[in-house]
Amino acid sequence: MSQAPHSGPTRAIDRYFASYSADHRHPLNQRIHVVAVPAILWSVVALVWCVPVFGTWTRTGIWAALAMFAAWSFYNRLSRRLGLGMLALFFFCGCVCRLIEMRLGPGVLLAAAAAVFVFAWVAQFVGHHYEGRRPSFLTDLVYLLIGPAWVMAKCYRRLGWRY
């Protein structure tokens, strides 16, 4: 019994990346995404970091830790190697949030996160203007999670690592 010829990527992560890459072919858009996507990721972590614990005004980063764990679980299911890279990135994001909160205060963290979030999204839409295509997440919200993994995979490829 013969098998059908292989017609495309078999791993879910490869299918996501193929679809995401189709919307990100312009070199300027790719360069913008390599900077703006991690900036958005950090800003979202920082914004969630600033949400106080119920019944108090204490900000411990617990909500950000839970959100990062949920996102990491998604990445780790798609690719363990990519999951490790995303875990390191989440750890770095958490450390930066804690450092800014300790040294400059939660108000500065909140303001910086909001500014980075707005600036990075504007940059993303400028990139998509040059691309001539809509952002992938307008098709499926899962691409909001695929973007950071796509950038991480680009870094892996540049380093000669498999994901």
Side-chain angles (χ1 to χ4, degrees), residues 98-142:
R98 183 68 179 129
L99 182 67
I100 293 171
E101 181 183 47
M102 283 176 33
R103 300 249 171 135
L104 303 174
V108 172
L109 178 60
L110 180 62
V116 168
F117 184 84
V118 169
F119 179 78
W121 272 111
V122 167
Q124 294 266 76
F125 282 102
V126 167
H128 277 284
H129 171 76
Y130 281 94
E131 183 76 44
R133 296 182 64 96
R134 296 171 36 180
S136 299
F137 76 89
L138 294 176
T139 305
D140 186 343
L141 290 177
V142 75

Side-chain angles (χ1 to χ4, degrees), residues 53-65:
V53 175
F54 294 124
T56 71
W57 287 105
T58 304
R59 292 173 181 88
T60 63
I62 190 71
W63 304 121

